[in-house]
Amino acid sequence: MGKVRIGIDVGGTFTDAVVIDNNSYEVIGKAKIPTTHHEKEGVAKGVIEVIKKVLEENNISPNDVVFIAHGTTQATNALLEGDVAKVGIIGMGKGIEGERAKNETKVNNIELSPGKYLYTEHRYIDSGNISQKSIGEAIRQLKDTGSEVIVASESYSVDNPENEKIVIEQSLNNGIYATGGYEISQLYGLRARTRTAVVNGALIPKMMETANMTETSVKNANIKKPLMIMRCDGGVMTIDEVRKRPILTMLSGLAAGVAGALMYEKVSDGIFFEVGGTSTDISVIKDGKVMIKNSQVGGHKLYLKSLDVRTLGVAGGSMIVVENNKIVDVGPRSAHIAEKEYEIFAGKNEISNPQLIYISPRPEDKCNYVAINCDEGKSFALTLAGAANILGYVNEDDYARGNIEEGRKAWEVLAKEVNMSIEETAKTVMDIAIGKVKKVVDELILEYKLNKAIIRLVGGGGSASIVTPYLSEVMGVKFNIAKNAPYISTIGVALALVREQIERSVINPTEQDIKKIRMDVFEAVVKSGANPDTVEITVDVDAKKNILRASATGATELRTKELGAEKKSTDELINVVCNSTGVSKENVKLIGETGRWSIFKCIETTKKLFGLICSKKEKIRILDEDGVIRLQKDKGKLLFCTKKELYKTYNNFIDENTLFTDAGAQLPKIYVIFKQKLIDLSGVISKEQLLTLTNLEIELLDEDTKIGILATQEI
């Protein structure tokens, strides 16, 4: 057996593991066990059990494991269930800012869910009179109130965090967990920074315990590589970082699925669906990147970037609501919540003499969800999975494929109840359920300005085929079901890169500011476990919010090849472009190559008025050497030159593609392409910053290195 990567996904119901060959990136092993919520060791026991199972079943030595990571819902569940520590806040400030700092560091109790709260206590110290004694007294008072964690928060600590560090150190010396606002965010905005630190602090005790047990579990399995944990932005970090910043694991389970789609399915632009039994998580990939946004807890904004995911109570197990002999809704309750089996997965002859019944899945629900009772006391829910199977949207080899013959027996009684045929009944159910999903997808397409002509719907999760094919048909958008769809989240964990991001409040950043944040994020991502030789950094400037942002990714090990790398011929690449654009081969032209990238231009001709009027549209596709479209634009200008030539031509190229209007100059969106890199500088709106960032990216290249520049003016 060669070297392998292990991904573990700790879900609410099951803990999954996959083993992936580190050279071919093929899935070579899978394992699934019930999540061990109620064990003394908690979910950590399930982690070691699933590791042991997947290693033994596939004859893998622990010494062959080069990477191991897991995603978890524990932080998210802890917040939803109110299973968090009480937080004591020590706010600090001085001078005329003192009163403002006192108010903005006083975070009230945060309602996490109905009846569940994160409780806080607050003490204030004037920074001008701060001392070991005043800090010690504040800590003592907060401990007396039952606070389990201290959060230190001071005005402008992002510039000088020394006082926060003193409070943290003294708290730890007093045997109490502590964190500071500066450790979580480097953005101005004391109220939001304090709130983010409070949520982080509230998670520390529970996550510290879990981290310790999980780390021990991996060591007990004789795996030498350090355990990595999935972040909410799709990257991974060391378990030591989890101990400091557990808030970063919020939504990590959701992030894992779309990370798997991005890396394993190699989606450039699309909508990803992780479809389970009770809910569907929907997220966006654009220009080869997962879309993220600021998280919220209890309706309050945090300084935390996480996956932008929209969750709907529509999935494979969604039950059907009937009122007055009419189907009125699908979900949000599911067969799992009602503790009933799916009708479509009934065994041969299990559905015998079915009788329609109306039930309340939860005591507080109306009695309008339909199920069936059968002979021998067997009971089944009527589900969305049943409708999709009956209508033929689930392939024979699909995970969600059921027993259609038995399913039709169940649906016949519902069809009689609503006075329709079985097929009409199933279609009505699909129209209602998928209509809800479509509404969210339409909103995402509008919000992120996605081009329906080029996006792809990608289905993941065990019920992927229940939702995705029908939605594709309704919307007229291409789709595919992810390979190993039921394990796509776990695959995403196994293939994840180490990631770090730093945001700073900077007005009109200088070259020095940009160089500083690049170095800081490089150091941060290496500290989190990335091999320095694998690190890639992107920097962008949000001029509207005066935010300078740097993101860094890297692998824990030196990768000998790209994921699934298989160099394609030019003809093969042209075929990919034709399939993407719908144009014929004669209208596709290779206009440039640099490093692992091939850039194609194609012309789409549309005829109107019986062929009397012809219109032509230009499309650009940038592909990597194994035939994956990494960037697709409907128009743009290209510049190819060496590094030496770029210094002479780049300035004029930017000017030539800048729009000058009454509102001022509008820079083009710039993408820099060379060797292994495709650098996205589309968010930069200052010419000086654009030149600086480009120079920083290419400064170590040889003078004769070929570089491609794409400029677009997309609105």
Side-chain angles (χ1 to χ4, degrees):
M1 179 68 67
K3 301 301 182 181
V4 300
R5 308 172 68 85
I6 294 179
I8 303 161
D9 184 39
V10 183
T13 305
F14 291 104
T15 295
D16 298 326
V18 297
V19 180
I20 293 178
D21 186 283
N22 196 49
N23 290 318
S24 67
Y25 293 98
E26 290 297 315
V27 176
I28 58 177
K30 307 171 189 174
K32 184 187 292 284
I33 66 166
T35 298
T36 54
H37 290 293
H38 305 297
E39 298 290 339
K40 179 183 177 183
E41 304 88 345
V43 299
K45 184 173 183 180
V47 171
I48 192 169
E49 286 180 359
V50 82
I51 293 173
K52 183 180 179 182
K53 183 178 181 182
V54 80
L55 291 178
E56 289 180 352
E57 289 180 353
N58 296 280
N59 298 312
I60 296 167
S61 166
N63 294 326
D64 291 329
V65 179
V66 298
F67 177 86
I68 181 168
H70 83 74
T72 177
T73 59
Q74 189 152 15
T76 303
N77 292 342
L79 290 170
L80 289 172
E81 297 163 8
D83 187 15
V84 294
K86 185 175 183 178
V87 175
I89 306 164
I90 296 180
M92 294 170 284
K94 63 181 178 180
I96 58 174
E97 292 285 328
E99 195 61 32
R100 180 187 64 83
K102 185 176 182 179
N103 291 330
E104 293 190 359
T105 58
K106 189 175 183 178
V107 176
N108 295 323
N109 298 335
I110 301 172
E111 187 172 19
L112 303 172
S113 60
K116 307 288 186 181
Y117 288 87
L118 190 170
Y119 293 100
T120 67
E121 290 284 342
H122 180 264
R123 296 294 183 273
Y124 179 77
I125 302 175
D126 189 317
S127 300
N129 301 315
I130 197 166
S131 65
Q132 294 286 340
K133 183 179 179 181
S134 61
I135 293 171
E137 178 61 20
I139 293 171
R140 185 191 64 76
Q141 291 178 12
L142 291 170
K143 286 182 72 174
D144 288 346
T145 69
S147 298
E148 301 170 69
V149 181
I150 299 297
V151 165
S153 187
E154 184 181 32
S155 296
Y156 306 109
S157 63
V158 296
D159 300 321
N160 182 5
E162 288 306 311
N163 285 335
E164 288 189 6
K165 289 180 178 179
I166 293 170
V167 172
I168 293 170
E169 183 181 9
Q170 195 162 333
S171 299
L172 295 173
N173 290 338
N174 277 270
I176 186 168
Y177 295 119
T179 186
Y182 86 96
E183 292 185 313
I184 308 302
S185 174
Q186 296 182 28
L187 293 178
Y188 294 137
L190 184 58
R191 191 183 303 278
R193 192 168 69 248
T194 306
R195 187 185 300 117
T196 307
V198 165
V199 175
N200 184 69
L203 292 167
I204 287 176
K206 186 173 186 67
M207 295 299 290
M208 181 76 76
E209 182 183 4
T210 300
N212 292 340
M213 288 191 293
T214 309
E215 186 177 46
T216 301
S217 298
V218 172
K219 289 178 179 177
N220 290 341
N222 296 316
I223 293 173
K224 303 299 188 292
K225 294 295 180 178
L227 176 66
M228 308 297 287
I229 307 297
M230 197 80 187
R231 293 164 48 119
C232 54
D233 56 12
V236 291
M237 61 183 177
T238 64
I239 206 157
D240 281 339
E241 288 301 308
V242 173
R243 293 183 176 104
K244 297 176 186 176
R245 298 181 290 167
I247 192 173
L248 291 179
T249 67
M250 283 173 52
L251 303 176
S252 75
L254 301 178
V258 71
L262 186 65
M263 293 179 286
Y264 203 59
E265 293 297 312
K266 299 178 179 177
V267 182
S268 302
D269 294 80
I271 309 287
F272 175 71
F273 305 86
E274 180 129 22
V275 192
T278 299
S279 62
T280 294
D281 299 316
I282 308 170
S283 45
V284 174
I285 297 170
K286 184 178 182 181
D287 291 340
K289 296 181 292 188
V290 180
M291 296 295 99
I292 59 177
K293 68 174 184 178
N294 279 98
S295 294
Q296 291 191 355
V297 169
H300 300 289
K301 176 185 171 184
L302 303 179
Y303 280 162
L304 172 70
K305 295 289 186 181
S306 66
L307 174 72
D308 184 3
V309 60
R310 314 291 167 91
T311 300
L312 279 177
V314 173
S318 293
M319 294 180 65
I320 299 150
V321 179
V322 176
E323 293 180 353
N324 300 319
N325 302 98
K326 185 179 179 181
I327 298 169
V328 296
D329 204 358
V330 181
R333 301 304 192 203
S334 67
H336 305 270
I337 292 172
E339 298 183 347
K340 293 192 179 294
E341 296 181 40
Y342 289 48
E343 82 290 16
I344 202 67
F345 300 132
K348 188 176 181 180
N349 297 323
E350 275 198 303
I351 295 184
S352 175
N353 191 29
Q355 304 295 317
L356 193 73
I357 59 171
Y358 287 80
I359 66 170
S360 303
R362 291 274 178 86
E364 65 268 25
D365 296 333
K366 289 178 67 176
C367 189
N368 56 3
Y369 287 84
V370 291
I372 55 169
N373 282 336
C374 300
D375 291 341
E376 300 180 8
K378 292 183 177 180
S379 180
F380 299 89
L382 293 171
T383 65
L384 188 64
N389 271 274
I390 287 169
L391 293 175
Y393 288 97
V394 186
N395 294 330
E396 286 191 13
D397 59 349
D398 194 277
Y399 182 85
R401 177 77 172 196
N403 187 336
I404 295 176
E405 184 179 345
E406 292 299 303
R408 289 184 67 87
K409 293 179 186 177
W411 278 73
E412 187 176 8
V413 295
L414 175 59
K416 289 180 180 177
E417 181 80 354
V418 298
N419 196 30
M420 291 190 288
S421 70
I422 294 174
E423 285 74 19
E424 287 171 336
T425 305
K427 188 177 185 305
T428 300
V429 167
M430 292 295 291
D431 285 340
I432 293 173
I434 303 308
K436 294 181 181 181
V437 181
K438 182 179 180 297
K439 182 180 178 183
V440 174
V441 172
D442 286 339
E443 290 171 354
L444 288 169
I445 289 173
L446 185 64
E447 183 175 339
Y448 287 105
K449 299 177 182 176
L450 299 176
N451 185 341
K452 286 182 67 175
I454 63 177
I455 65 171
R456 182 159 45 110
L457 309 180
V458 181
S463 297
S465 59
I466 307 302
V467 169
T468 319
Y470 197 88
L471 179 64
S472 167
E473 187 177 289
V474 171
M475 294 187 65
V477 175
K478 292 180 287 187
F479 86 97
N480 69 277
I481 303 299
K483 188 179 178 183
N484 292 302
Y487 288 87
I488 192 67
S489 288
T490 323
I491 291 168
V493 174
L495 297 176
L497 296 171
V498 184
R499 180 179 171 88
E500 278 292 346
Q501 180 171 284
I502 295 176
E503 294 182 311
R504 288 180 180 151
S505 299
V506 184
I507 300 172
N508 195 23
T510 64
E511 182 174 348
Q512 185 176 353
D513 292 326
I514 293 170
K515 285 183 176 180
K516 178 70 166 57
I517 201 170
R518 279 176 60 89
M519 180 56 66
D520 289 347
V521 81
F522 176 83
E523 292 176 352
V525 78
V526 171
K527 185 180 178 182
S528 287
N531 184 307
D533 294 332
T534 69
V535 174
E536 293 190 4
I537 298 170
T538 59
V539 179
D540 65 89
V541 181
D542 188 335
K544 292 182 179 178
K545 298 179 180 178
N546 294 321
I547 292 175
L548 179 63
R549 183 180 298 111
S551 301
T553 57
T556 57
E557 79 291 348
L558 279 171
R559 297 186 170 184
T560 58
K561 64 176 231 174
E562 281 293 304
L563 178 59
E566 182 183 335
K567 191 170 182 176
K568 305 289 186 185
S569 68
T570 299
D571 281 346
E572 288 175 315
L573 295 177
I574 288 174
N575 286 332
V576 173
V577 174
C578 291
N579 291 331
S580 161
T581 60
V583 305
S584 57
K585 284 188 177 182
E586 58 267 24
N587 289 320
V588 178
K589 183 181 179 182
L590 176 65
I591 57 174
E593 293 178 292
T594 174
R596 65 190 294 252
W597 309 101
S598 299
I599 297 93
F600 292 87
K601 182 182 288 186
C602 47
I603 304 297
E604 181 186 63
T605 303
T606 305
K607 294 184 178 181
K608 298 178 180 179
L609 290 178
F610 307 101
L612 297 174
I613 298 176
C614 291
S615 63
K616 294 183 177 181
K617 288 184 179 179
E618 180 184 281
K619 299 176 182 289
I620 293 181
R621 298 291 185 267
I622 301 178
L623 281 70
D624 63 16
E625 60 191 4
D626 50 323
V628 179
I629 299 174
R630 297 294 187 179
L631 193 65
Q632 43 193 343
K633 300 295 177 182
D634 280 351
K635 55 185 176 180
K637 300 292 183 182
L638 284 147
L639 170 68
F640 292 97
C641 59
T642 64
K643 175 186 173 181
K644 186 177 181 178
E645 294 167 338
L646 186 66
Y647 294 118
K648 303 176 185 176
T649 58
Y650 192 33
N651 194 69
N652 287 337
F653 180 73
I654 295 171
D655 288 342
E656 289 168 0
N657 290 282
T658 298
L659 291 180
F660 295 93
T661 67
D662 293 341
Q666 181 178 306
L667 282 180
K669 298 183 184 299
I670 294 289
Y671 303 85
V672 184
I673 312 144
F674 59 90
K675 289 194 171 184
Q676 300 292 311
K677 291 189 173 184
L678 198 163
I679 309 298
D680 182 355
L681 300 178
S682 61
V684 180
I685 61 173
S686 157
K687 183 179 177 181
E688 290 71 26
Q689 292 165 357
L690 193 57
L691 293 169
T692 295
L693 287 167
T694 304
N695 287 334
L696 287 172
E697 292 291 347
I698 68 172
E699 63 181 348
L700 299 180
L701 299 179
D702 295 333
E703 292 295 302
D704 61 351
T705 302
K706 193 172 183 181
I707 297 171
I709 308 284
L710 172 64
T712 71
Q713 272 292 357
E714 295 179 321
I715 299 174

